[in-house]
PDB file of all heavy atoms in Angstrom:
ATOM      1  N   ARG A  11      48.670   8.838 -38.196  1.00  0.00           N
ATOM      2  CA  ARG A  11      47.583   7.918 -37.850  1.00  0.00           C
ATOM      3  C   ARG A  11      48.087   6.476 -37.860  1.00  0.00           C
ATOM      4  O   ARG A  11      47.832   5.702 -36.938  1.00  0.00           O
ATOM      5  CB  ARG A  11      46.455   8.106 -38.871  1.00  0.00           C
ATOM      6  CG  ARG A  11      45.400   7.017 -38.874  1.00  0.00           C
ATOM      7  CD  ARG A  11      44.358   7.303 -39.944  1.00  0.00           C
ATOM      8  NE  ARG A  11      44.977   7.574 -41.229  1.00  0.00           N
ATOM      9  CZ  ARG A  11      44.454   8.367 -42.156  1.00  0.00           C
ATOM     10  NH1 ARG A  11      43.290   8.939 -41.983  1.00  0.00           N
ATOM     11  NH2 ARG A  11      45.089   8.576 -43.289  1.00  0.00           N
ATOM     12  N   ASP A 212      39.397  18.453 -33.669  1.00  0.00           N
ATOM     13  CA  ASP A 212      40.516  18.737 -34.562  1.00  0.00           C
ATOM     14  C   ASP A 212      40.709  20.257 -34.629  1.00  0.00           C
ATOM     15  O   ASP A 212      39.843  21.016 -34.190  1.00  0.00           O
ATOM     16  CB  ASP A 212      40.141  18.177 -35.948  1.00  0.00           C
ATOM     17  CG  ASP A 212      41.298  18.155 -36.925  1.00  0.00           C
ATOM     18  OD1 ASP A 212      42.438  18.444 -36.542  1.00  0.00           O
ATOM     19  OD2 ASP A 212      41.048  17.838 -38.109  1.00  0.00           O
ATOM     20  N   LYS A 214      41.548  22.588 -37.718  1.00  0.00           N
ATOM     21  CA  LYS A 214      41.806  22.475 -39.157  1.00  0.00           C
ATOM     22  C   LYS A 214      42.593  23.646 -39.732  1.00  0.00           C
ATOM     23  O   LYS A 214      43.286  23.485 -40.728  1.00  0.00           O
ATOM     24  CB  LYS A 214      40.482  22.333 -39.914  1.00  0.00           C
ATOM     25  CG  LYS A 214      39.849  20.968 -39.671  1.00  0.00           C
ATOM     26  CD  LYS A 214      39.065  20.470 -40.866  1.00  0.00           C
ATOM     27  CE  LYS A 214      38.737  19.004 -40.708  1.00  0.00           C
ATOM     28  NZ  LYS A 214      37.312  18.715 -40.771  1.00  0.00           N
ATOM     29  N   GLY A 226      45.060  19.476 -43.146  1.00  0.00           N
ATOM     30  CA  GLY A 226      44.573  18.150 -42.764  1.00  0.00           C
ATOM     31  C   GLY A 226      44.283  18.040 -41.283  1.00  0.00           C
ATOM     32  O   GLY A 226      43.638  17.101 -40.839  1.00  0.00           O
ATOM     33  N   GLY A 227      44.755  19.000 -40.507  1.00  0.00           N
ATOM     34  CA  GLY A 227      44.566  18.975 -39.047  1.00  0.00           C
ATOM     35  C   GLY A 227      45.879  19.316 -38.362  1.00  0.00           C
ATOM     36  O   GLY A 227      46.875  18.648 -38.578  1.00  0.00           O
ATOM     37  N   PHE A 269      33.913   7.590 -39.307  1.00  0.00           N
ATOM     38  CA  PHE A 269      34.314   8.897 -38.756  1.00  0.00           C
ATOM     39  C   PHE A 269      33.122   9.808 -39.012  1.00  0.00           C
ATOM     40  O   PHE A 269      32.780  10.085 -40.160  1.00  0.00           O
ATOM     41  CB  PHE A 269      35.563   9.319 -39.505  1.00  0.00           C
ATOM     42  CG  PHE A 269      36.107  10.710 -39.286  1.00  0.00           C
ATOM     43  CD1 PHE A 269      37.449  10.945 -39.558  1.00  0.00           C
ATOM     44  CD2 PHE A 269      35.341  11.789 -38.844  1.00  0.00           C
ATOM     45  CE1 PHE A 269      38.007  12.216 -39.403  1.00  0.00           C
ATOM     46  CE2 PHE A 269      35.882  13.056 -38.680  1.00  0.00           C
ATOM     47  CZ  PHE A 269      37.212  13.263 -38.965  1.00  0.00           C
ATOM     48  N   GLU A 283      29.692  15.353 -42.329  1.00  0.00           N
ATOM     49  CA  GLU A 283      30.216  14.420 -43.331  1.00  0.00           C
ATOM     50  C   GLU A 283      30.613  13.130 -42.645  1.00  0.00           C
ATOM     51  O   GLU A 283      30.774  13.079 -41.421  1.00  0.00           O
ATOM     52  CB  GLU A 283      31.466  15.010 -43.994  1.00  0.00           C
ATOM     53  CG  GLU A 283      32.574  15.273 -42.978  1.00  0.00           C
ATOM     54  CD  GLU A 283      33.977  15.326 -43.554  1.00  0.00           C
ATOM     55  OE1 GLU A 283      34.141  15.067 -44.745  1.00  0.00           O
ATOM     56  OE2 GLU A 283      34.898  15.609 -42.782  1.00  0.00           O
ATOM     57  N   ASN A 285      33.687  10.093 -42.887  1.00  0.00           N
ATOM     58  CA  ASN A 285      34.882   9.535 -43.501  1.00  0.00           C
ATOM     59  C   ASN A 285      34.883   8.058 -43.125  1.00  0.00           C
ATOM     60  O   ASN A 285      34.221   7.666 -42.161  1.00  0.00           O
ATOM     61  CB  ASN A 285      36.148  10.231 -42.992  1.00  0.00           C
ATOM     62  CG  ASN A 285      36.174  11.708 -43.369  1.00  0.00           C
ATOM     63  OD1 ASN A 285      36.095  12.063 -44.530  1.00  0.00           O
ATOM     64  ND2 ASN A 285      36.241  12.567 -42.377  1.00  0.00           N
ATOM     65  N   ARG A 287      37.369   6.042 -42.163  1.00  0.00           N
ATOM     66  CA  ARG A 287      38.680   5.720 -41.590  1.00  0.00           C
ATOM     67  C   ARG A 287      38.859   6.557 -40.340  1.00  0.00           C
ATOM     68  O   ARG A 287      38.050   7.427 -40.055  1.00  0.00           O
ATOM     69  CB  ARG A 287      39.737   6.121 -42.613  1.00  0.00           C
ATOM     70  CG  ARG A 287      39.399   7.565 -43.081  1.00  0.00           C
ATOM     71  CD  ARG A 287      40.465   8.322 -43.699  1.00  0.00           C
ATOM     72  NE  ARG A 287      39.981   9.625 -44.156  1.00  0.00           N
ATOM     73  CZ  ARG A 287      40.013  10.742 -43.444  1.00  0.00           C
ATOM     74  NH1 ARG A 287      40.483  10.744 -42.210  1.00  0.00           N
ATOM     75  NH2 ARG A 287      39.548  11.875 -43.934  1.00  0.00           N
ATOM     76  N   PHE A 288      39.945   6.298 -39.626  1.00  0.00           N
ATOM     77  CA  PHE A 288      40.282   7.165 -38.501  1.00  0.00           C
ATOM     78  C   PHE A 288      40.694   8.545 -38.998  1.00  0.00           C
ATOM     79  O   PHE A 288      41.221   8.675 -40.101  1.00  0.00           O
ATOM     80  CB  PHE A 288      41.479   6.594 -37.739  1.00  0.00           C
ATOM     81  CG  PHE A 288      41.137   5.532 -36.743  1.00  0.00           C
ATOM     82  CD1 PHE A 288      41.445   4.205 -36.999  1.00  0.00           C
ATOM     83  CD2 PHE A 288      40.541   5.845 -35.534  1.00  0.00           C
ATOM     84  CE1 PHE A 288      41.154   3.216 -36.074  1.00  0.00           C
ATOM     85  CE2 PHE A 288      40.254   4.869 -34.598  1.00  0.00           C
ATOM     86  CZ  PHE A 288      40.558   3.552 -34.874  1.00  0.00           C
ATOM     87  N   GLY A 289      40.504   9.555 -38.174  1.00  0.00           N
ATOM     88  CA  GLY A 289      41.028  10.883 -38.472  1.00  0.00           C
ATOM     89  C   GLY A 289      42.512  10.948 -38.152  1.00  0.00           C
ATOM     90  O   GLY A 289      43.024  10.170 -37.358  1.00  0.00           O
ATOM     91  N   ASP A 290      43.154  11.883 -38.787  1.00  0.00           N
ATOM     92  CA  ASP A 290      44.559  12.134 -38.513  1.00  0.00           C
ATOM     93  C   ASP A 290      44.680  13.641 -38.296  1.00  0.00           C
ATOM     94  O   ASP A 290      44.440  14.387 -39.252  1.00  0.00           O
ATOM     95  CB  ASP A 290      45.404  11.679 -39.714  1.00  0.00           C
ATOM     96  CG  ASP A 290      46.898  11.761 -39.435  1.00  0.00           C
ATOM     97  OD1 ASP A 290      47.288  12.433 -38.476  1.00  0.00           O
ATOM     98  OD2 ASP A 290      47.669  11.141 -40.197  1.00  0.00           O
ATOM     99  N   PRO A 291      44.899  14.142 -37.107  1.00  0.00           N
ATOM    100  CA  PRO A 291      45.534  13.512 -35.940  1.00  0.00           C
ATOM    101  C   PRO A 291      44.599  12.965 -34.865  1.00  0.00           C
ATOM    102  O   PRO A 291      45.078  12.590 -33.790  1.00  0.00           O
ATOM    103  CB  PRO A 291      46.361  14.663 -35.363  1.00  0.00           C
ATOM    104  CG  PRO A 291      45.492  15.871 -35.593  1.00  0.00           C
ATOM    105  CD  PRO A 291      44.794  15.610 -36.901  1.00  0.00           C
ATOM    106  N   GLU A 292      43.295  12.866 -35.118  1.00  0.00           N
ATOM    107  CA  GLU A 292      42.406  12.401 -34.047  1.00  0.00           C
ATOM    108  C   GLU A 292      42.787  10.993 -33.557  1.00  0.00           C
ATOM    109  O   GLU A 292      42.674  10.687 -32.366  1.00  0.00           O
ATOM    110  CB  GLU A 292      40.950  12.371 -34.537  1.00  0.00           C
ATOM    111  CG  GLU A 292      40.335  13.749 -34.763  1.00  0.00           C
ATOM    112  CD  GLU A 292      40.405  14.196 -36.214  1.00  0.00           C
ATOM    113  OE1 GLU A 292      41.409  13.872 -36.900  1.00  0.00           O
ATOM    114  OE2 GLU A 292      39.468  14.873 -36.670  1.00  0.00           O
ATOM    115  N   ARG A 381      52.825  17.697 -42.946  1.00  0.00           N
ATOM    116  CA  ARG A 381      52.695  17.384 -41.523  1.00  0.00           C
ATOM    117  C   ARG A 381      53.765  16.345 -41.200  1.00  0.00           C
ATOM    118  O   ARG A 381      53.858  15.316 -41.868  1.00  0.00           O
ATOM    119  CB  ARG A 381      51.286  16.864 -41.227  1.00  0.00           C
ATOM    120  CG  ARG A 381      50.237  17.953 -41.401  1.00  0.00           C
ATOM    121  CD  ARG A 381      48.885  17.551 -40.862  1.00  0.00           C
ATOM    122  NE  ARG A 381      48.283  16.443 -41.592  1.00  0.00           N
ATOM    123  CZ  ARG A 381      47.159  15.824 -41.200  1.00  0.00           C
ATOM    124  NH1 ARG A 381      46.547  16.194 -40.087  1.00  0.00           N
ATOM    125  NH2 ARG A 381      46.649  14.853 -41.918  1.00  0.00           N
TER     126      ARG A 381
HETATM  127  N1  LIG B   2      41.686  15.416 -39.213  1.00  0.00           N
HETATM  128  C1  LIG B   2      40.643  15.290 -40.148  1.00  0.00           C
HETATM  129  C2  LIG B   2      40.728  14.119 -41.018  1.00  0.00           C
HETATM  130  O1  LIG B   2      41.438  13.179 -40.771  1.00  0.00           O
HETATM  131  O2  LIG B   2      40.005  14.102 -42.014  1.00  0.00           O
END
Side-chain angles (χ1 to χ4, degrees):
R11 166 181 51 210
D212 191 7
K214 289 212 167 123
F269 172 157
E283 60 157 355
N285 297 303
R287 48 160 177 92
F288 277 107
D290 187 344
E292 290 97 325
R381 292 191 295 172

